[in-house]
Amino acid sequence: MSLKKDINVLRRKLMRSLTKNVGSSQFDKNVDLTKVKFKKILISRPNPRLGNQLLITPLLQEVITTFPDCEIDLFVNGGLAPIIFKNYTNINRIIQLPRKPFKDLTKYVKGWLSLKKYSYDIVINVVENSSSGRLSAQFVSSKYKFFGDDVDDIQLKHNHYKHIAKYPVYNFRHYLTKLGFKENNSPIPNLDLKLSDSELAEAKKTLQSIVQNNKKTICIFTFATADKCYSESWWAPFYDRLKAEYSDYNIIEVLPVENVSQIGFKAPTFYSKDVREIGALIANTEVFIGADSGIMHLASASKATTVGLFSRDNINMYAPYNKNSVAINTNTENIDNYITVLDKILR
Protein backbone atom coordinates (compact mmCIF):
# COMPACT_ATOMS: atom_id res chain seq x y z
CA MET A 1 0.00 0.00 0.00
CA SER A 2 2.88 2.34 0.87
CA LEU A 3 4.62 1.57 -2.43
CA LYS A 4 1.42 2.36 -4.36
CA LYS A 5 1.07 5.65 -2.46
CA ASP A 6 4.70 6.57 -3.16
CA ILE A 7 4.24 5.83 -6.87
CA ASN A 8 1.13 8.04 -7.01
CA VAL A 9 2.96 10.89 -5.26
CA LEU A 10 5.86 10.58 -7.70
CA ARG A 11 3.46 10.46 -10.67
CA ARG A 12 1.69 13.62 -9.53
CA LYS A 13 4.97 15.48 -9.02
CA LEU A 14 6.18 14.43 -12.45
CA MET A 15 2.95 15.48 -14.16
CA ARG A 16 2.97 18.85 -12.40
CA SER A 17 6.55 19.51 -13.44
CA LEU A 18 5.66 18.63 -17.04
CA THR A 19 2.46 20.69 -17.18
CA LYS A 20 3.18 23.71 -14.95
CA ASN A 21 4.00 25.84 -17.99
CA VAL A 22 1.17 24.52 -20.16
CA GLY A 23 -1.04 27.34 -21.38
CA SER A 24 -1.36 30.98 -20.48
CA SER A 25 -4.51 32.97 -19.83
CA GLN A 26 -5.74 34.69 -22.96
CA PHE A 27 -7.23 38.19 -23.16
CA ASP A 28 -8.14 40.49 -26.02
CA LYS A 29 -8.20 44.05 -24.75
CA ASN A 30 -9.64 45.24 -28.04
CA VAL A 31 -12.80 43.16 -27.71
CA ASP A 32 -16.12 45.00 -27.91
CA LEU A 33 -18.06 43.54 -24.96
CA THR A 34 -21.33 44.86 -26.35
CA LYS A 35 -20.99 42.35 -29.20
CA VAL A 36 -19.75 39.37 -27.21
CA LYS A 37 -22.04 36.81 -25.58
CA PHE A 38 -20.51 34.59 -22.94
CA LYS A 39 -22.84 31.64 -23.22
CA LYS A 40 -20.89 28.37 -23.15
CA ILE A 41 -18.40 27.94 -20.32
CA LEU A 42 -16.22 24.99 -19.34
CA ILE A 43 -15.02 24.58 -15.75
CA SER A 44 -12.28 22.01 -15.28
CA ARG A 45 -11.64 20.32 -11.91
CA PRO A 46 -10.74 16.67 -12.64
CA ASN A 47 -10.32 15.55 -9.03
CA PRO A 48 -12.58 12.85 -7.54
CA ARG A 49 -12.55 13.92 -3.90
CA LEU A 50 -15.82 15.07 -2.32
CA GLY A 51 -14.25 18.12 -0.70
CA ASN A 52 -12.44 19.31 -3.81
CA GLN A 53 -15.63 19.19 -5.87
CA LEU A 54 -17.66 20.99 -3.21
CA LEU A 55 -14.97 23.67 -3.06
CA ILE A 56 -15.75 24.77 -6.63
CA THR A 57 -19.35 25.65 -5.78
CA PRO A 58 -18.43 29.28 -4.93
CA LEU A 59 -16.90 29.65 -8.41
CA LEU A 60 -19.97 28.08 -10.00
CA GLN A 61 -22.22 30.55 -8.20
CA GLU A 62 -19.98 33.44 -9.24
CA VAL A 63 -20.03 32.42 -12.91
CA ILE A 64 -23.81 32.00 -12.87
CA THR A 65 -24.33 35.36 -11.15
CA THR A 66 -22.10 37.03 -13.74
CA PHE A 67 -23.65 35.25 -16.72
CA PRO A 68 -27.17 34.15 -15.65
CA ASP A 69 -28.03 32.61 -19.03
CA CYS A 70 -24.80 30.67 -19.43
CA GLU A 71 -24.52 26.93 -19.99
CA ILE A 72 -21.75 25.32 -17.97
CA ASP A 73 -19.96 22.09 -18.77
CA LEU A 74 -17.94 20.47 -15.98
CA PHE A 75 -14.83 18.38 -16.59
CA VAL A 76 -14.44 16.22 -13.49
CA ASN A 77 -13.20 12.90 -12.18
CA GLY A 78 -15.25 10.18 -10.50
CA GLY A 79 -18.99 9.74 -10.03
CA LEU A 80 -19.90 12.37 -7.42
CA ALA A 81 -20.46 15.41 -9.63
CA PRO A 82 -24.01 14.57 -10.84
CA ILE A 83 -25.01 14.19 -7.18
CA ILE A 84 -23.23 17.26 -5.84
CA PHE A 85 -24.34 19.60 -8.63
CA LYS A 86 -27.82 18.12 -9.03
CA ASN A 87 -29.64 21.40 -8.37
CA TYR A 88 -27.36 23.70 -10.38
CA THR A 89 -29.68 24.29 -13.30
CA ASN A 90 -27.07 26.10 -15.44
CA ILE A 91 -24.99 22.95 -15.71
CA ASN A 92 -25.45 21.48 -19.16
CA ARG A 93 -22.99 18.62 -19.41
CA ILE A 94 -20.81 16.76 -16.91
CA ILE A 95 -17.80 15.08 -18.48
CA GLN A 96 -16.59 12.41 -16.07
CA LEU A 97 -13.21 10.72 -16.17
CA PRO A 98 -13.03 7.35 -14.36
CA ARG A 99 -11.28 7.42 -10.99
CA LYS A 100 -8.95 4.63 -12.13
CA PRO A 101 -8.14 5.39 -15.78
CA PHE A 102 -6.05 2.29 -16.43
CA LYS A 103 -8.95 0.06 -15.36
CA ASP A 104 -11.32 1.83 -17.76
CA LEU A 105 -9.04 3.21 -20.45
CA THR A 106 -11.80 3.42 -23.09
CA LYS A 107 -13.98 5.65 -20.91
CA TYR A 108 -10.94 7.72 -19.99
CA VAL A 109 -10.06 8.38 -23.63
CA LYS A 110 -13.69 9.09 -24.54
CA GLY A 111 -13.87 11.63 -21.73
CA TRP A 112 -10.94 13.57 -23.11
CA LEU A 113 -12.16 13.34 -26.69
CA SER A 114 -15.61 14.61 -25.70
CA LEU A 115 -13.99 17.93 -24.78
CA LYS A 116 -13.53 18.50 -28.50
CA LYS A 117 -17.25 18.22 -29.29
CA TYR A 118 -17.93 21.86 -28.46
CA SER A 119 -16.16 25.18 -28.52
CA TYR A 120 -16.48 27.50 -25.54
CA ASP A 121 -16.59 31.20 -24.87
CA ILE A 122 -14.60 30.74 -21.63
CA VAL A 123 -12.72 27.80 -20.16
CA ILE A 124 -11.60 27.93 -16.52
CA ASN A 125 -9.00 25.65 -14.99
CA VAL A 126 -9.89 25.92 -11.31
CA VAL A 127 -6.59 24.95 -9.63
CA GLU A 128 -3.31 26.05 -11.12
CA ASN A 129 -1.28 22.95 -10.15
CA SER A 130 -3.79 20.47 -11.57
CA SER A 131 -2.01 18.73 -14.44
CA SER A 132 -5.21 17.38 -15.99
CA GLY A 133 -6.91 20.72 -15.52
CA ARG A 134 -4.21 22.64 -17.36
CA LEU A 135 -4.09 20.08 -20.16
CA SER A 136 -7.87 20.15 -20.57
CA ALA A 137 -7.90 23.95 -20.78
CA GLN A 138 -5.19 23.82 -23.42
CA PHE A 139 -6.92 20.99 -25.29
CA VAL A 140 -10.35 22.58 -25.82
CA SER A 141 -11.34 25.25 -28.30
CA SER A 142 -12.22 28.49 -26.51
CA LYS A 143 -12.11 32.23 -27.08
CA TYR A 144 -10.78 32.89 -23.59
CA LYS A 145 -8.76 30.52 -21.41
CA PHE A 146 -8.12 31.10 -17.72
CA PHE A 147 -5.48 28.76 -16.29
CA GLY A 148 -5.88 29.64 -12.63
CA ASP A 149 -2.37 30.92 -12.07
CA ASP A 150 -1.70 33.04 -8.98
CA VAL A 151 -1.95 36.78 -9.53
CA ASP A 152 0.44 38.67 -7.27
CA ASP A 153 -1.48 41.94 -6.99
CA ILE A 154 -4.65 40.06 -5.98
CA GLN A 155 -2.77 38.22 -3.23
CA LEU A 156 -1.67 41.54 -1.79
CA LYS A 157 -5.23 42.84 -1.87
CA HIS A 158 -7.07 39.91 -0.26
CA ASN A 159 -6.02 38.28 3.02
CA HIS A 160 -7.88 35.07 2.19
CA TYR A 161 -6.63 34.72 -1.37
CA LYS A 162 -4.94 31.37 -0.65
CA HIS A 163 -8.23 29.69 0.30
CA ILE A 164 -8.84 27.03 -2.34
CA ALA A 165 -12.54 27.95 -2.67
CA LYS A 166 -11.86 31.69 -2.85
CA TYR A 167 -8.87 32.23 -5.09
CA PRO A 168 -10.60 30.79 -8.20
CA VAL A 169 -13.32 33.42 -7.68
CA TYR A 170 -10.80 36.22 -7.15
CA ASN A 171 -8.95 35.09 -10.27
CA PHE A 172 -12.15 34.89 -12.32
CA ARG A 173 -13.03 38.44 -11.31
CA HIS A 174 -9.52 39.59 -12.17
CA TYR A 175 -9.68 37.96 -15.60
CA LEU A 176 -12.99 39.67 -16.30
CA THR A 177 -11.54 43.10 -15.48
CA LYS A 178 -8.91 42.35 -18.13
CA LEU A 179 -11.80 41.99 -20.57
CA GLY A 180 -13.25 45.31 -19.51
CA PHE A 181 -15.77 44.20 -16.88
CA LYS A 182 -16.29 46.39 -13.84
CA GLU A 183 -14.36 45.28 -10.74
CA ASN A 184 -16.45 43.12 -8.40
CA ASN A 185 -15.74 43.42 -4.66
CA SER A 186 -18.80 41.63 -3.30
CA PRO A 187 -18.30 38.86 -0.69
CA ILE A 188 -17.14 35.49 -1.98
CA PRO A 189 -20.06 33.01 -2.14
CA ASN A 190 -20.19 30.22 0.45
CA LEU A 191 -19.98 26.56 -0.47
CA ASP A 192 -23.48 25.44 -1.43
CA LEU A 193 -24.89 21.97 -2.05
CA LYS A 194 -28.24 23.59 -2.93
CA LEU A 195 -30.31 21.26 -0.79
CA SER A 196 -34.02 21.31 -1.63
CA ASP A 197 -36.79 21.97 0.88
CA SER A 198 -37.94 18.37 0.50
CA GLU A 199 -34.46 17.02 1.24
CA LEU A 200 -34.21 19.15 4.36
CA ALA A 201 -37.70 18.17 5.53
CA GLU A 202 -37.01 14.47 5.08
CA ALA A 203 -33.71 14.78 6.94
CA LYS A 204 -35.47 16.57 9.79
CA LYS A 205 -37.73 13.54 10.17
CA THR A 206 -34.72 11.23 10.12
CA LEU A 207 -32.96 13.27 12.80
CA GLN A 208 -36.07 13.26 14.95
CA SER A 209 -36.28 9.47 14.67
CA ILE A 210 -32.69 9.25 15.98
CA VAL A 211 -32.87 11.68 18.92
CA GLN A 212 -36.61 11.31 19.74
CA ASN A 213 -36.80 14.60 21.63
CA ASN A 214 -37.06 18.33 20.94
CA LYS A 215 -33.57 19.33 22.08
CA LYS A 216 -31.15 20.93 19.65
CA THR A 217 -28.40 18.74 18.26
CA ILE A 218 -24.62 18.85 17.99
CA CYS A 219 -23.21 16.74 15.16
CA ILE A 220 -19.73 15.22 15.28
CA PHE A 221 -17.70 13.37 12.66
CA THR A 222 -14.74 11.54 14.17
CA PHE A 223 -13.09 10.12 11.05
CA ALA A 224 -10.71 11.54 8.42
CA THR A 225 -8.03 10.25 6.10
CA ALA A 226 -4.40 9.55 6.97
CA ASP A 227 -2.85 11.75 9.68
CA LYS A 228 -5.88 14.08 9.67
CA CYS A 229 -7.77 11.39 11.62
CA TYR A 230 -7.61 11.97 15.37
CA SER A 231 -7.12 8.94 17.59
CA GLU A 232 -9.66 7.40 19.94
CA SER A 233 -7.58 8.72 22.86
CA TRP A 234 -7.93 12.24 21.44
CA TRP A 235 -11.67 12.01 20.86
CA ALA A 236 -12.62 10.31 24.15
CA PRO A 237 -11.94 13.25 26.52
CA PHE A 238 -13.35 15.75 24.02
CA TYR A 239 -16.57 13.79 23.66
CA ASP A 240 -16.90 13.45 27.45
CA ARG A 241 -16.43 17.19 27.79
CA LEU A 242 -19.05 17.87 25.15
CA LYS A 243 -21.56 15.72 27.04
CA ALA A 244 -20.78 17.50 30.31
CA GLU A 245 -20.88 21.04 28.93
CA TYR A 246 -23.90 20.62 26.65
CA SER A 247 -26.20 18.24 28.48
CA ASP A 248 -29.16 20.20 27.14
CA TYR A 249 -28.18 19.22 23.59
CA ASN A 250 -28.30 15.95 21.72
CA ILE A 251 -24.97 14.75 20.35
CA ILE A 252 -25.05 12.50 17.31
CA GLU A 253 -22.23 11.04 15.24
CA VAL A 254 -22.30 10.90 11.46
CA LEU A 255 -20.39 7.79 10.45
CA PRO A 256 -18.00 7.52 7.50
CA VAL A 257 -18.50 5.07 4.67
CA GLU A 258 -16.03 2.80 6.51
CA ASN A 259 -18.61 2.58 9.35
CA VAL A 260 -16.09 3.20 12.13
CA SER A 261 -16.23 5.43 15.19
CA GLN A 262 -13.37 7.01 17.11
CA ILE A 263 -15.61 7.17 20.19
CA GLY A 264 -16.61 3.51 20.06
CA PHE A 265 -20.19 4.22 18.86
CA LYS A 266 -21.06 5.79 22.24
CA ALA A 267 -23.30 8.44 20.67
CA PRO A 268 -26.42 7.86 18.56
CA THR A 269 -25.27 7.45 14.97
CA PHE A 270 -26.36 8.17 11.42
CA TYR A 271 -25.00 6.18 8.48
CA SER A 272 -25.59 6.79 4.80
CA LYS A 273 -23.63 6.56 1.55
CA ASP A 274 -25.73 9.35 0.01
CA VAL A 275 -23.88 12.65 0.41
CA ARG A 276 -27.06 14.68 -0.05
CA GLU A 277 -28.79 12.74 2.74
CA ILE A 278 -25.78 13.29 4.98
CA GLY A 279 -25.63 16.98 4.14
CA ALA A 280 -29.35 17.49 4.74
CA LEU A 281 -29.14 15.80 8.14
CA ILE A 282 -26.17 17.96 9.18
CA ALA A 283 -28.07 21.04 7.99
CA ASN A 284 -30.73 20.27 10.62
CA THR A 285 -28.21 20.42 13.49
CA GLU A 286 -26.92 23.45 15.39
CA VAL A 287 -23.22 22.87 14.78
CA PHE A 288 -20.97 20.35 13.07
CA ILE A 289 -17.60 19.41 14.58
CA GLY A 290 -15.08 17.39 12.59
CA ALA A 291 -11.58 17.16 11.22
CA ASP A 292 -10.56 18.60 7.86
CA SER A 293 -12.26 16.21 5.44
CA GLY A 294 -14.79 15.95 2.65
CA ILE A 295 -17.57 15.65 5.23
CA MET A 296 -16.39 18.88 6.88
CA HIS A 297 -16.76 20.65 3.52
CA LEU A 298 -20.11 18.91 3.04
CA ALA A 299 -21.28 20.37 6.35
CA SER A 300 -20.19 23.81 5.22
CA ALA A 301 -21.89 23.34 1.83
CA SER A 302 -25.06 22.31 3.69
CA LYS A 303 -25.02 25.75 5.39
CA ALA A 304 -24.41 24.29 8.84
CA THR A 305 -22.19 26.21 11.25
CA THR A 306 -18.97 24.22 10.99
CA VAL A 307 -16.09 23.81 13.42
CA GLY A 308 -13.13 22.38 11.52
CA LEU A 309 -10.32 20.63 13.41
CA PHE A 310 -6.92 21.05 11.76
CA SER A 311 -3.71 19.21 12.60
CA ARG A 312 -1.96 20.11 9.34
CA ASP A 313 -0.63 23.50 8.34
CA ASN A 314 -3.39 24.12 5.78
CA ILE A 315 -6.00 26.15 7.64
CA ASN A 316 -5.62 29.11 5.28
CA MET A 317 -6.46 26.86 2.33
CA TYR A 318 -9.37 24.84 3.68
CA ALA A 319 -10.98 26.58 6.68
CA PRO A 320 -14.80 26.60 6.69
CA TYR A 321 -16.00 30.19 6.41
CA ASN A 322 -19.81 30.21 6.28
CA LYS A 323 -22.17 31.41 9.03
CA ASN A 324 -20.08 31.62 12.23
CA SER A 325 -17.92 28.73 11.10
CA VAL A 326 -14.40 28.51 12.47
CA ALA A 327 -11.20 26.51 12.09
CA ILE A 328 -9.24 25.33 15.14
CA ASN A 329 -5.55 24.52 15.09
CA THR A 330 -5.43 21.52 17.41
CA ASN A 331 -1.64 21.72 17.63
CA THR A 332 -1.83 25.01 19.53
CA GLU A 333 -5.29 24.87 21.18
CA ASN A 334 -6.75 22.59 23.85
CA ILE A 335 -10.16 21.32 24.94
CA ASP A 336 -10.85 24.46 26.99
CA ASN A 337 -10.30 26.54 23.87
CA TYR A 338 -12.62 24.27 21.85
CA ILE A 339 -15.36 24.77 24.41
CA THR A 340 -14.85 28.55 24.35
CA VAL A 341 -15.34 28.49 20.59
CA LEU A 342 -18.47 26.35 20.90
CA ASP A 343 -19.87 28.58 23.64
CA LYS A 344 -19.76 31.55 21.27
CA ILE A 345 -21.71 29.52 18.72
CA LEU A 346 -24.25 27.80 20.98
CA ARG A 347 -24.77 30.20 23.86
Side-chain angles (χ1 to χ4, degrees):
M1 189 71 178
S2 178
L3 178 61
K4 182 179 179 182
K5 182 178 179 181
D6 291 342
I7 291 173
N8 283 332
V9 169
L10 181 62
R11 176 184 59 79
R12 284 193 291 269
K13 287 182 177 179
L14 177 62
M15 286 300 296
R16 285 172 184 170
S17 67
L18 292 173
T19 60
K20 64 181 179 180
N21 295 318
V22 169
S24 59
S25 299
Q26 300 172 359
F27 311 103
D28 181 358
K29 294 182 179 180
N30 298 315
V31 68
D32 183 355
L33 290 176
T34 62
K35 297 180 180 178
V36 176
K37 288 187 178 181
F38 295 96
K39 180 73 172 178
K40 295 191 70 65
I41 297 172
L42 175 71
I43 296 177
S44 181
R45 185 64 170 112
N47 183 291
R49 292 184 179 276
L50 170 64
N52 285 331
Q53 294 197 20
L54 288 166
L55 286 161
I56 72 170
T57 57
L59 176 62
L60 267 175
Q61 295 169 74
E62 182 75 14
V63 170
I64 293 167
T65 299
T66 307
F67 305 116
D69 298 324
C70 70
E71 295 177 358
I72 298 172
D73 287 358
L74 294 180
F75 184 57
V76 296
N77 189 304
L80 283 173
I83 300 167
I84 293 171
F85 306 113
K86 174 183 175 182
N87 290 335
Y88 280 83
T89 56
N90 289 69
I91 291 179
N92 177 53
R93 194 170 60 129
I94 298 178
I95 306 162
Q96 299 168 258
L97 296 179
R99 289 195 66 153
K100 298 179 179 179
F102 295 110
K103 288 190 174 182
D104 199 346
L105 194 56
T106 300
K107 185 177 180 181
Y108 181 77
V109 172
K110 283 182 177 179
W112 279 96
L113 292 177
S114 68
L115 288 173
K116 282 292 191 181
K117 287 185 177 180
Y118 302 97
S119 59
Y120 295 95
D121 299 307
I122 298 174
V123 57
I124 304 168
N125 172 46
V126 178
V127 177
E128 65 167 332
N129 62 3
S130 168
S131 303
S132 297
R134 296 189 78 89
L135 288 171
S136 64
Q138 183 72 0
F139 186 58
V140 300
S141 174
S142 178
K143 296 175 185 175
Y144 301 101
K145 296 185 178 184
F146 306 155
F147 281 83
D149 296 310
D150 286 346
V151 182
D152 291 338
D153 55 342
I154 306 180
Q155 294 188 54
L156 296 173
K157 187 176 180 181
H158 299 287
N159 293 331
H160 302 290
Y161 177 78
K162 285 296 183 182
H163 196 288
I164 201 164
K166 294 183 178 183
Y167 88 73
V169 178
Y170 286 130
N171 280 5
F172 176 68
R173 292 176 177 179
H174 171 75
Y175 298 148
L176 291 184
T177 63
K178 293 284 188 180
L179 295 177
F181 283 78
K182 184 179 179 182
E183 184 176 6
N184 181 357
N185 291 311
S186 59
I188 300 293
N190 295 326
L191 278 64
D192 194 354
L193 188 60
K194 289 193 178 293
L195 292 164
S196 66
D197 290 342
S198 60
E199 287 174 314
L200 291 168
E202 190 62 31
K204 185 176 183 179
K205 294 177 184 177
T206 300
L207 179 60
Q208 183 61 32
S209 71
I210 295 170
V211 299
Q212 297 185 2
N213 61 49
N214 293 320
K215 295 193 295 185
K216 294 178 180 179
T217 299
I218 296 170
C219 178
I220 62 174
F221 182 74
T222 66
F223 192 70
T225 57
D227 60 338
K228 294 189 293 183
C229 187
Y230 294 91
S231 66
E232 292 184 15
S233 61
W234 186 95
W235 270 104
F238 184 31
Y239 175 63
D240 289 341
R241 185 71 179 275
L242 286 174
K243 288 195 299 180
E245 294 283 344
Y246 305 109
S247 57
D248 52 341
Y249 284 81
N250 302 303
I251 301 175
I252 68 165
E253 181 181 9
V254 167
L255 297 173
V257 68
E258 293 85 354
N259 199 21
V260 295
S261 168
Q262 297 299 90
I263 58 170
F265 299 95
K266 291 179 181 177
T269 61
F270 173 74
Y271 181 84
S272 174
K273 293 182 179 180
D274 186 326
V275 295
R276 298 192 71 85
E277 283 184 357
I278 299 169
L281 183 105
I282 295 172
N284 277 280
T285 64
E286 290 301 301
V287 65
F288 169 91
I289 307 167
D292 173 25
S293 66
I295 298 297
M296 181 198 76
H297 296 303
L298 180 66
S300 181
S302 302
K303 301 184 180 179
T305 299
T306 302
V307 176
L309 308 171
F310 286 78
S311 59
R312 292 181 180 177
D313 186 22
N314 60 352
I315 289 181
N316 290 336
M317 288 181 67
Y318 294 106
Y321 61 89
N322 66 303
K323 196 178 79 172
N324 299 321
S325 293
V326 64
I328 295 175
N329 184 337
T330 57
N331 297 313
T332 58
E333 307 292 337
N334 57 38
I335 291 180
D336 288 338
N337 300 128
Y338 311 160
I339 297 303
T340 299
V341 168
L342 288 167
D343 278 348
K344 289 180 181 179
I345 294 170
L346 297 174
R347 293 175 177 169

